[in-house]
Amino acid sequence: MTSTIATRAPAGTATSGRRVGSIGLWLVMLAQLMLVLDATVVNVALPHIATDLHFTRAQLSWVLNGYAVAFGGLLLLGGRIGDVFGRRRTFLMGVAVFTVFSLLGGLATSPLLLVIARALQGLGAAFAAPSVLALITTSARDDGARNRALALFSAVASMGGALGLILGGLLTDMANWRWTLFINVPIGVAVLVAVPRLVAETPRRSGRFDVLGAVTATGGAVAIVWALIQAGDDGWSSPRTIGGFVVGAALITVLALTERRVAHPLLQPQLLRSPSRVAALAAMAATYGGMLAMFFLMVQYLENDLHLTPLLTGLAFLPMPLSIFAMSRIVPRLVERFGAVRLVMLGAALRVVAFLPLTQLSPDTPFAIVMVALLLTGISAGMTFMPLTTLALRNVEPEHAGSTSGLFQTMQQLGGAVGLAIVASTYAAFAVPGDFLTGGRAGFWSATILSALALAAVAGLVIRPRRAA
């Protein structure tokens, strides 16, 4: 009897432990959804924010890009801090910062205060997000479990943008734009209370922090995005635009030089020696840039040209999260059968097909064409994000999981910020007062070109093996 009890107890304990760990990872995934939602949840509310706080058109773009630039520029530092101090601890610290400044952003009374709050939200997200992916990849029991978890993470990452538009429209219509930020507070508090009890801490690792790398990476990103946004108003040849590009390029150059010499670099040089990882990072930047830009333009079209309410505008995006969720259920099997590279190429090509009709929008364009474009965009996103994540994290040692996760999400966020800046600048350059479509069509062409660049980035991985053979 004693031996029977002794052998069964560990099995029950193991089952209970797996259940608790599963709940904990679901909560971590909920926090990741909150971080991703925040990139677009205020998008639908932008006209109301501009009216309430008296934003200019140039200032308004920083409500989105202030978050994206801080998020993307500090993700590498967040990944490194997670590796050294423990990923759960770093995750909780980031969620706490994000929650506090969500509250303060909702209480903002001026454009400056709101943009500062959004940037500090991005700081919190930069600390929390790399630990999410690292906790998932290091907690999986085997490759199958890892692929399923990555598929769910990819669905959250790609679906979150579209869900943010729906939630933003709902909150703006039912309450006001401030609730697009207040909604993060109860979620953040619940995560802060529950995760310490349900998710185990990862071991600490020795190392120092590359402060110069963090400053140059973030400063370079801010300068380049600022220059791209200013180009729409000042022109590409204006001194301010050129000066912004020069400062950004100088800071990125300093980053590249110092990362080779410091003992504990923010950007691990060996992570960029894999062709598949570099292609995945480039494709992710172009993919997310094109999608975030499409969201921005489509909201303007639906609200300004079709005169939909914020809620109806958000609901118009419903085909995207539904198709992304459906694809997330079958993509792991498709990756096993066809390979990640082929699936990414097919998804990128489908996204180009989806964007092309939007470059020809006119007052007579049937709404069904817009809905089909959104549906195809969702299918392509669901087909692309998980394989790109797999390519980026392939053959990464556990001690570099946080840094690699941070690098991957850095390219996603900075790609989104740069892509949005390019498209917004193109839209502003061709804009005609009172007419969205003239500038909007030019902007959709820019988004289409970004998607084509994602296809080109991964196509090299197919051509290279054939040449080698």
Side-chain angles (χ1 to χ4, degrees):
M1 179 69 69
T2 304
S3 62
T4 302
I5 295 175
T7 55
R8 289 182 180 177
T13 303
T15 302
S16 176
R18 284 195 297 269
R19 188 180 298 115
V20 169
S22 177
I23 295 172
L25 286 179
W26 273 101
L27 282 170
V28 170
M29 205 76 75
L30 175 63
Q32 173 67 17
L33 178 61
M34 177 179 69
L35 302 179
V36 175
L37 282 173
D38 220 65
T40 58
V41 72
V42 299
N43 210 324
V44 176
L46 286 177
H48 300 266
I49 294 173
T51 301
D52 195 8
L53 298 185
H54 308 292
F55 272 90
T56 67
R57 184 168 62 180
Q59 290 174 335
L60 191 61
S61 61
W62 282 106
V63 177
L64 301 178
N65 271 339
Y67 178 80
V69 169
F71 191 178
L74 293 169
L75 267 167
L76 290 174
L77 180 62
R80 179 62 178 162
I81 290 175
D83 286 340
V84 174
F85 284 124
R87 288 159 189 155
R88 190 190 70 179
R89 184 177 292 105
T90 305
F91 167 78
L92 292 173
M93 179 175 63
V95 170
V97 171
F98 180 89
T99 303
V100 168
F101 286 100
S102 294
L103 175 63
L104 295 180
L107 297 173
T109 56
S110 71
L112 180 61
L113 291 177
L114 179 57
V115 171
I116 290 174
R118 290 285 290 165
L120 291 171
Q121 276 186 288
L123 168 66
F127 280 34
S131 295
V132 172
L133 196 51
L135 286 170
I136 292 171
T137 56
T138 56
S139 300
R141 296 187 302 276
D142 51 42
D143 286 344
R146 181 173 178 269
N147 281 340
R148 288 190 296 272
L150 287 175
L152 179 59
F153 173 85
S154 300
V156 167
S158 52
M159 196 165 50
L163 284 177
L165 295 170
I166 297 171
L167 181 62
L170 180 66
L171 292 171
T172 302
D173 259 6
M174 293 185 63
N176 59 56
W177 67 266
R178 297 181 184 276
W179 279 95
T180 62
L181 297 170
F182 288 152
I183 191 65
N184 296 325
V185 177
I187 299 175
V189 170
V191 169
L192 290 171
V193 170
V195 165
R197 304 177 183 179
L198 299 174
V199 178
E201 181 60 281
T202 59
R204 295 190 182 192
R205 302 181 188 277
S206 61
R208 296 181 180 180
F209 303 112
D210 180 12
V211 177
L212 179 60
V215 171
T216 53
T218 307
V222 170
I224 291 172
V225 170
W226 181 84
L228 288 169
I229 293 173
Q230 289 299 122
D233 291 332
D234 298 344
W236 293 94
S237 59
S238 74
R240 291 204 298 178
T241 301
I242 295 173
F245 283 125
V246 169
V247 171
L251 290 172
I252 296 300
T253 301
V254 172
L255 172 67
L257 294 175
T258 56
E259 294 306 276
R260 298 179 179 181
R261 300 176 181 178
V262 296
H264 300 280
L266 189 66
L267 175 60
Q268 301 287 339
Q270 67 266 30
L271 297 179
L272 299 179
R273 293 173 185 165
S274 165
S276 63
R277 184 171 300 120
V278 172
L281 294 173
M284 173 54 71
T287 296
Y288 201 69
M291 288 189 63
L292 199 61
M294 188 275 285
F295 292 161
F296 176 78
L297 292 172
M298 187 58 69
V299 166
Q300 310 302 314
Y301 172 68
L302 295 175
E303 293 195 13
N304 295 338
D305 270 54
L306 301 188
H307 307 293
L308 299 185
T309 65
L311 176 58
L312 291 178
T313 296
L315 291 175
F317 285 89
L318 191 58
M320 286 190 63
L322 292 179
S323 57
I324 290 171
F325 179 77
M327 289 302 298
S328 72
R329 310 300 296 173
I330 63 174
V331 163
R333 293 194 295 273
L334 294 177
V335 169
E336 292 178 2
R337 182 170 181 180
F338 299 106
V341 174
R342 291 186 179 89
L343 212 58
V344 171
M345 289 185 63
L346 180 59
L350 186 61
R351 192 160 45 255
V352 172
V353 172
F355 283 6
L356 279 174
L358 302 179
T359 66
Q360 307 299 317
L361 285 177
S362 71
D364 300 323
T365 300
F367 188 64
I369 291 180
V370 176
M371 297 302 290
V372 170
L374 293 175
L375 176 64
L376 292 178
T377 301
I379 293 173
S380 71
M383 193 180 294
T384 302
F385 274 61
M386 181 266 178
L388 283 177
T389 308
T390 301
L391 288 172
L393 296 179
R394 182 177 293 170
N395 299 325
V396 174
E397 296 81 1
E399 60 267 24
H400 296 312
S403 298
T404 310
S405 303
L407 177 60
F408 181 70
Q409 293 180 79
T410 293
M411 296 304 294
Q412 177 178 332
Q413 294 301 320
L414 291 184
V418 171
L420 176 58
I422 291 172
V423 172
S425 179
T426 305
Y427 165 65
F430 288 88
V432 174
D435 177 20
F436 164 81
L437 290 176
T438 302
R441 283 191 291 264
F444 280 122
W445 270 116
S446 298
T448 304
I449 292 171
L450 286 170
S451 295
L453 290 175
L455 176 60
V458 183
L461 295 178
V462 177
I463 297 172
R464 184 186 299 269
R466 290 180 180 175
R467 287 179 177 174

